[in-house]
């Protein structure tokens, strides 16, 4: 047996460099607002420039050939690149994703406590796996709204909060079935003593370097401070937070930056990263809101187009809705369809549901397979077990709202909606290559 001190180095997987970038992206993006900033910084390095929604867009703005642009609204980002020769009716190739993840979010009156403990009141956001937030060191991050109308991002990325689990000695049946009350059992502690009104926001203000009296609103949320890490004997797996769905946002930004290196393309490549997917997408920054349609329309008009040109552009457009999907679970294989068992490092997955929980149809499958073949990447198919309800994505919403042909894809992961999820180390890279083939094909 090889001595431990002389163990061979793990093999280097093809996607390691991309996953290194994903690790940095996840670490820098504890909230949708930070994720948008991280994606914008990546695109800025590729020459993209921000446009203001409140200003007029003309040929010098959203219609300039050979230029990349992006718009930020809260936790959402829409970015696009206008290639040389693009006309008013040139169609779009859209990669869709979302920036939000299930988590714990600070209540409007956060300072609370019980039995000599100071605690922070939290609401449950999205379909969170509550038990994964127990006994985990949590930081706090988000957006502060200031009296002058500006906003400030803040990130306390160190152990600050903890949701303590009840000891087994006080709940002897806990291993027979843990039941958590969302109101009583998910309130984290952050100190001892008597809670004081305004204490949390005063602390956050100090961390952000602003006077507490200037803060008139906040959108704050907890995050695990444990960093992403490679996992396994051969480091062929990647564990980390918020892979659902920052993995897709990062891959889409990388693919769009690569597309912008092409002077001429048959379509206008777009990245649409929405907020609020995890609670239904019904917001001004969600996929069911008007943001994407407004940006695409204004880009048509900035290139001298008409409503007719806009209709023609949409009719020829295609969207890849990218979100994480379910890898086959080795301990619960019976929960999966036996003919569709996606594996980590097997390439991106095509997600199918005939009841339109996913938007994929036969023509969408053809678009996806062509993109994978163009990029030289393998791919897999996912369909739910008929006895299990199927989740959904921004795909059907995008197709219905804008009349744009949409196909649902993603990366197979384990522990979806956990505070810490797991994927294959090569799959984020393979997804980005697929997206690049789609955006440039």
């Amino acid at each position: 047996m090889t001595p431990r001190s002389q163990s061979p180095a793990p093999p280097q997987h093809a996607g390691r460099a991309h996953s290194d970038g994903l690790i940095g992206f996840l670490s820098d993006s504890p909230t949708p607002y930070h994720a948008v900033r991280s994606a914008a910084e990546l695109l800025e390095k590729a020459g993209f420039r921000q446009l203001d929604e409140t200003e007029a867009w003309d040929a010098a703005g959203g219609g300039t050939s050979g230029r990349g642009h992006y718009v930020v609204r809260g936790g959402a980002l829409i970015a696009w690149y206008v290639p040389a020769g693009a006309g008013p009716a040139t169609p779009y190739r859209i990669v869709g994703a979302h920036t939000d993840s299930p988590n714990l979010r600070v209540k409007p009156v956060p300072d609370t406590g019980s039995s000599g403990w100071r605690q922070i009141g939290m609401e449950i956001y999205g379909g969170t796996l509550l038990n994964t937030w127990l006994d985990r060191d949590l930081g706090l991050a988000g957006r502060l709204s200031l009296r002058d109308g500006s906003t400030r991002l803040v990130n306390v990325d160190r152990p600050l909060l903890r949701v303590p689990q009840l000891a087994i000695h006080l709940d002897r049946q806990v291993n027979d079935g843990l039941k958590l009350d969302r109101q009583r059992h998910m309130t984290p502690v952050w100190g001892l003593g008597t809670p004081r009104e305004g204490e949390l926001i005063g602390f956050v203000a100090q961390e952000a370097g602003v006077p507490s009296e200037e803060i008139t609103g906040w959108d704050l949320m907890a995050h695990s401070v444990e960093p992403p890490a490679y996992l396994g004997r051969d480091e062929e797996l990647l564990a980390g937070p918020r892979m659902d769905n920052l993995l897709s946002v990062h891959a889409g930004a990388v693919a769009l930056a690569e597309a912008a290196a092409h002077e001429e393309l048959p379509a206008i490549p777009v990245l649409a990263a929405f907020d609020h997917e995890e609670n239904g997408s019904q917001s001004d920054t969600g996929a069911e809101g008007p943001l994407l349609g407004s940006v695409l329309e204004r880009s048509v008009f900035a290139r001298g187009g008409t409503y007719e040109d806009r209709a023609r552009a949409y009719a020829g457009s295609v969207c890849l809705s990218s979100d994480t999907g379910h890898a086959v679970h080795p301990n619960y294989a019976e929960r999966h369809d036996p003919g569709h068992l996606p594996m980590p490092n097997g390439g991106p997955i095509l997600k199918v549901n005939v009841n339109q929980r996913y938007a994929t149809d036969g023509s969408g499958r053809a678009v996806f397979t062509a993109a994978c073949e163009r990029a030289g990447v393998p791919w897999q198919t996912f369909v739910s077990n008929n006895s299990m309800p199927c989740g959904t994505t921004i795909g059907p919403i995008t197709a219905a709202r804008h009349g744009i042909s949409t196909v649902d894809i993603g990366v197979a992961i384990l522990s979806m909606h956990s505070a810490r999820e797991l994927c294959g180390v090569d799959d984020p890279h393979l997804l980005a290559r697929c997206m690049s083939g789609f955006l440039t094909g």
Side-chain angles (χ1 to χ4, degrees), residues 383-405:
V383 66
S384 290
N385 184 311
N386 284 339
S387 299
M388 301 285 171
C390 180
T392 190
T393 69
I394 65 166
I397 294 172
T398 302
R401 177 165 182 82
H402 305 293
I404 291 175
S405 176

Side-chain angles (χ1 to χ4, degrees), residues 121-164:
M122 292 283 189
E123 283 191 275
I124 312 300
Y125 178 84
T128 309
L129 277 173
L130 296 178
N131 65 295
T132 67
W133 290 83
L134 301 179
D135 297 333
R136 193 178 290 274
D137 296 337
L138 304 176
L140 195 67
R143 178 180 66 174
L144 303 174
S145 298
L146 306 183
R147 194 173 300 278
D148 63 3
S150 64
T151 60
R152 180 77 60 89
L153 297 187
V154 62
N155 182 12
V156 184
D157 195 28
R158 62 180 186 273
L160 180 69
L161 309 170
R162 186 180 179 92
V163 183

Side-chain angles (χ1 to χ4, degrees), residues 338-422:
H340 300 81
L341 303 173
M343 286 293 297
N345 293 330
I349 55 174
L350 180 72
K351 301 161 76 170
V352 179
N353 180 267
V354 295
N355 294 305
Q356 289 298 294
R357 301 293 285 173
Y358 303 132
T360 304
D361 61 10
S363 61
R365 177 190 173 109
V367 170
F368 170 72
T369 56
C372 289
E373 289 172 357
R374 191 176 299 113
V377 302
W379 57 277
Q380 310 176 79
T381 305
F382 172 82
V383 66
S384 290
N385 184 311
N386 284 339
S387 299
M388 301 285 171
C390 180
T392 190
T393 69
I394 65 166
I397 294 172
T398 302
R401 177 165 182 82
H402 305 293
I404 291 175
S405 176
T406 302
V407 53
D408 273 294
I409 68 165
V411 160
I413 70 170
L414 291 181
S415 307
M416 186 183 295
H417 286 199
S418 169
R420 194 169 178 85
E421 297 160 324
L422 184 71

